Amino acid sequence: MTSTSVNASPMELTSGHDASAAEAETSDYCKHNEEAPQTDAFGDEALAEIKYKVLTWWQGGLLMVAETISLGILSLPAAISQLGLVPGLVIMIGMGILASYNGYVIGQIKWRFPQISSMSDAGEILMGAFGREFFGIIQLLLLIFIMASHILTFTIAFNVITAHATCSIVFGIITTAISLILSVPRTLRNISWLSIVSFISILSAVILTMITVAIKRPDSVVQAVASPDLVTGFGAVTNIVFAYASHNAFFTFIAELSDPREFPKALALLQSVDISLYVVASVVIYYYAGVDVTSPAIGSAGAVAAKIAYGISLPTILIAGVINGHIAAKSIYLRIFAGTDRIHKRDWTAVLSWIGIMLLLWIIAWIIAESIPIFGDLLGLIASLFLSWFTFGLPSAFWFYMNKGLWFTSARKIFLSCVNMSSLVIGCTVCILGLYSSGVVYCIYSQTDAHTIIVMGLAYVYYESSIKEKYYSSIAN
């Protein structure tokens, strides 16, 4: 079997390259194969006590859905309101298609370099030891902050439901404890059943919100095109962009698939669900709530409906955090026991090491959620800096790396080069304007107190359902 058949993606195998381009591409594949060890992160599991590579494509797809779609979906109708129905839908569908392609590119580089199981490993492929440490740190930092945001969201939801905000710390501790317990299984397959619960939860909350808003606000004004200012308009765009930003976890999902070549099926499941659900929820809620739709849209449904919707959405808030916590812990676990068979054991060292890592991560996340006074601003800054690159910037870098010397060898390669360059520009733009929106640049140059200057980052718009405790508490009154 040639190296092309081993490492080329299914799309590449069926493409219409001319003879010279195909020969050059095969040569390039061979060169990369010599550089990369042909073994994955988990090795041969034939005799392993704990087997990781047992995830089916549909289980992987549901895990990706649970990790991607959470309560932030109910902030998308407000983004449509700020942009107008037509441009909002164009951006939403366009970004969904681009995110789908970038996810496929992540699958391609995983097929090429089987040893990749995290962004840290991918960073090593691109930039050596520095890339491994740099991407590993920022991925871990991002995941911990996302875990913290889910702790805070769960706490706020409880406050809204119970109308008793004085128990926030207690609710936070309970949330952290439940998350830790659900994170104990070491394999994604053993937590994949949670993704089914998560999907039912968020789907029910969205349907309830749509029905309630339709009943309550039947005569609202809808704009085909709006005229927002730069900060408002770009905030809405970034809100949509970050709704697809889960690519930092894809390597971990692919690594535990029983057949990594089936990743496109899992990706198709994710993208078909999130694009269709985003579009339907945004259009229906915006149509009935109009330009006055709140963010999240639960606020437009009324106090009683908001409490019910928050109650229904509790599982998805919790489970999305658990999946992100699992991915963070897995990156550390594999790093510690790299080159050993410890991860496949059931002994005390293996089990207690995993639990210890999870415990440490959840404690850190809880401390961040409860103690940092500008947590929302900091989360917005980190998300603007890193999510844009993980979703749109790095996949393009992966493609250019894999196709070095082949960028202009055929019409198809030229087209894909343009697509990937556009994605790279989008990632850079989101990052730069995200920093601008969060006021970081102004803060640096003015030397003004960051707490008073930093406004909500664009990613904070996506996570604002996790931050505005005072706003949500008022819903219950």
Side-chain angles (χ1 to χ4, degrees):
M1 182 178 292
T2 66
S3 60
T4 302
S5 63
V6 171
N7 294 288
S9 69
M11 184 179 293
E12 295 284 358
L13 291 176
T14 58
S15 63
H17 289 308
D18 56 44
S20 60
E23 183 179 353
E25 188 167 5
T26 302
S27 175
D28 190 58
Y29 284 157
C30 291
K31 180 185 71 174
H32 283 301
N33 288 337
E34 292 173 358
E35 297 171 354
Q38 296 300 303
T39 180
D40 58 55
F42 300 106
D44 184 4
E45 295 187 326
L47 302 177
E49 297 178 43
I50 299 291
K51 292 181 172 63
Y52 293 88
K53 297 181 292 184
V54 291
L55 200 65
T56 63
W57 70 265
W58 63 267
Q59 289 173 326
L62 287 176
L63 280 167
M64 292 161 68
V65 169
E67 194 262 344
T68 304
I69 305 176
S70 190
L71 202 59
I73 184 177
L74 293 176
S75 66
L76 294 179
I80 296 293
S81 174
Q82 292 163 343
L83 295 170
L85 185 61
V86 175
L89 286 180
V90 170
I91 293 172
M92 186 174 292
I93 296 173
M95 290 298 100
I97 294 173
L98 183 57
S100 302
Y101 171 74
N102 286 340
Y104 184 77
V105 172
I106 288 177
Q108 286 182 311
I109 195 170
K110 168 62 180 176
W111 297 330
R112 179 80 64 81
F113 300 97
Q115 72 271 27
I116 296 177
S117 63
S118 66
M119 279 292 176
S120 174
D121 297 330
E124 184 176 23
I125 298 297
L126 291 182
M127 303 170 63
F130 171 78
R132 179 183 181 89
E133 302 303 330
F134 178 72
F135 288 115
I137 290 172
I138 62 176
Q139 182 186 27
L140 184 60
L141 182 65
L142 176 63
L143 290 171
I144 290 175
F145 269 78
I146 292 176
M147 292 163 64
S149 75
H150 283 281
I151 292 175
L152 193 55
T153 305
F154 199 86
T155 300
I156 293 170
F158 257 119
N159 288 335
V160 172
I161 295 169
T162 63
H164 191 46
T166 56
C167 289
S168 294
I169 294 179
V170 175
F171 289 151
I173 293 174
I174 293 173
T175 304
T176 304
I178 296 174
S179 299
L180 176 61
I181 293 172
L182 293 177
S183 302
V184 168
R186 279 186 278 170
T187 66
L188 284 172
R189 182 177 183 177
N190 286 337
I191 64 171
S192 62
W193 63 272
L194 293 174
S195 62
I196 300 175
V197 178
S198 176
F199 180 71
I200 295 174
S201 168
I202 191 60
L203 182 62
S204 301
V206 169
I207 292 175
L208 174 64
T209 303
M210 289 192 294
I211 293 174
T212 308
V213 170
I215 294 173
K216 184 180 178 183
R217 305 283 295 275
D219 300 318
S220 298
V221 177
V222 174
Q223 292 181 324
V225 179
S227 301
D229 56 36
L230 175 63
V231 173
T232 301
F234 190 75
V237 171
T238 311
N239 193 6
I240 295 172
V241 168
F242 286 156
Y244 297 105
S246 59
H247 293 52
N248 62 302
F250 283 5
F251 284 126
T252 304
F253 294 130
I254 303 173
E256 296 196 30
L257 288 175
S258 58
D259 182 3
R261 291 284 175 172
E262 291 192 322
F263 172 67
K265 296 180 182 178
L267 180 64
L269 175 60
L270 165 66
Q271 294 304 109
S272 60
V273 169
D274 65 10
I275 294 175
S276 58
L277 194 56
Y278 290 165
V279 169
V280 171
S282 299
V283 171
V284 172
I285 294 174
Y286 175 58
Y287 177 80
Y288 287 106
V291 294
D292 296 324
V293 62
T294 61
S295 179
I298 289 178
S300 298
V304 175
K307 290 185 177 183
I308 297 174
Y310 269 119
I312 294 174
S313 64
L314 287 178
T316 194
I317 298 171
L318 190 70
I319 293 168
V322 168
I323 295 174
N324 280 282
H326 182 100
I327 294 167
K330 186 66 67 66
S331 65
I332 299 175
Y333 194 61
L334 292 178
R335 182 72 179 271
I336 292 175
F337 295 115
T340 73
D341 195 40
R342 182 66 64 186
I343 61 173
H344 295 108
K345 301 294 185 180
R346 297 183 186 274
D347 58 30
W348 285 107
T349 301
V351 174
L352 292 180
S353 297
W354 173 259
I355 295 176
I357 293 170
M358 290 300 319
L359 178 62
L360 178 62
L361 290 176
W362 279 112
I363 289 176
I364 293 174
W366 176 76
I367 292 173
I368 291 173
E370 296 290 343
S371 62
I372 296 182
I374 56 169
F375 172 72
D377 301 323
L378 196 56
L379 177 63
L381 168 63
I382 291 174
S384 295
L385 275 173
F386 302 142
L387 278 180
S388 56
W389 290 109
F390 283 143
T391 306
F392 296 100
L394 282 178
S396 299
F398 296 154
W399 188 89
F400 283 117
Y401 179 83
M402 289 187 293
N403 292 274
K404 185 178 180 180
L406 305 173
W407 302 345
F408 307 107
T409 54
S410 67
R412 180 175 177 274
K413 287 294 186 183
I414 293 174
F415 172 74
L416 290 177
S417 295
C418 293
V419 170
N420 283 277
M421 181 56 67
S422 299
S423 181
L424 190 62
V425 170
I426 289 174
C428 184
T429 302
V430 171
C431 178
I432 293 174
L433 291 186
L435 292 177
Y436 168 78
S437 177
S438 63
V440 173
V441 175
Y442 179 80
C443 179
I444 291 175
Y445 284 99
S446 66
Q447 300 298 312
T448 307
D449 176 41
H451 186 270
T452 58
I453 292 299
I454 298 180
V455 297
M456 290 182 294
L458 298 177
Y460 172 44
V461 177
Y462 178 71
Y463 290 109
E464 64 182 340
S465 58
S466 312
I467 309 302
K468 293 186 177 180
E469 181 169 358
K470 182 177 179 181
Y471 171 76
Y472 294 127
S473 297
S474 67
I475 296 176
N477 298 327

